[in-house]
Amino acid sequence: MLLFSDQHHPAELGEQLRDASAVTPEFMAEIIDRTCRRFPSFGQSAKTARVERLIQSDAWTDAALALIDLELPQWQVRRLAYDQGEWYCALSRQRELPDWLDQSIEAQHADLALAMLTAFVEARHVTAPSSRTSVPAVTRDASPVYEPVCSDNFA
């Protein structure tokens, strides 16, 4: 199982989701393989089994909701709306906040399950651990006109 890394760009998966017309078991397996850290989860085997049952029965919308519940327990569906042939899905960490204060992830697609999976992949990308160190890096290419100046007052 791979995490978001340099090998798999989340933008590439997002493009595949936008270009897809329907969810298939193979496509769902690819999404899980490329984005999920907790699947399969030994500590949450009931949730993992539920996701697998939903995928086997082609219940894509329910599988997307179960995947969000398993992988992003702090995120919730804020809004699902259908307008002019497009489904809009918004995921949020703090649903009770007003829209203008909340930093939600929004996605749209003609298929409801794909709209939810697109929002899931974006939220997963936002919450993916970065590979930064605890000490900030210093740029090595200083300007040639740069001169360090001592600004201490020794008076």
Side-chain angles (χ1 to χ4, degrees):
M1 198 134 339
L2 297 172
L3 297 174
F4 274 128
S5 63
D6 294 333
Q7 298 170 344
H8 296 292
H9 299 287
E12 178 183 309
L13 185 58
E15 289 174 15
Q16 287 178 345
L17 282 162
R18 281 187 284 282
D19 293 341
S21 59
V23 183
T24 62
E26 295 81 20
F27 190 43
M28 189 67 140
E30 181 181 353
I31 291 169
I32 289 171
D33 184 46
R34 291 174 64 175
T35 62
C36 297
R37 292 186 305 172
R38 297 180 177 160
F39 193 91
S41 175
F42 296 111
Q44 299 177 342
S45 59
K47 288 184 178 184
T48 301
R50 180 171 182 255
V51 172
E52 290 173 346
R53 278 194 316 271
L54 291 169
I55 290 171
Q56 289 173 354
S57 62
D58 294 341
W60 303 122
T61 304
D62 291 334
L65 284 170
L67 202 57
I68 291 168
D69 183 42
L70 176 67
E71 286 293 318
L72 301 169
Q74 71 276 15
W75 290 79
Q76 299 171 340
V77 176
R78 180 178 181 86
R79 181 178 56 251
L80 283 175
Y82 184 76
D83 187 28
Q84 297 180 357
E86 292 276 318
W87 282 99
Y88 295 86
C89 177
L91 297 180
S92 172
R93 289 185 190 173
Q94 299 168 349
R95 230 176 26 179
E96 284 71 30
L97 286 177
D99 281 343
W100 58 276
L101 280 177
D102 188 24
Q103 294 180 348
S104 61
I105 301 292
E106 298 186 12
Q108 66 187 44
H109 200 280
D111 184 65
L112 174 60
L114 286 170
M116 294 174 74
L117 287 170
T118 303
F120 165 73
V121 168
E122 290 297 320
R124 187 71 191 97
H125 174 65
V126 168
T127 60
S130 62
S131 61
R132 293 183 292 171
T133 62
S134 61
V135 179
V138 178
T139 58
R140 295 182 185 260
D141 52 332
S143 172
V145 294
Y146 172 78
E147 286 188 36
V149 176
C150 180
S151 61
D152 289 339
N153 185 0
F154 295 109

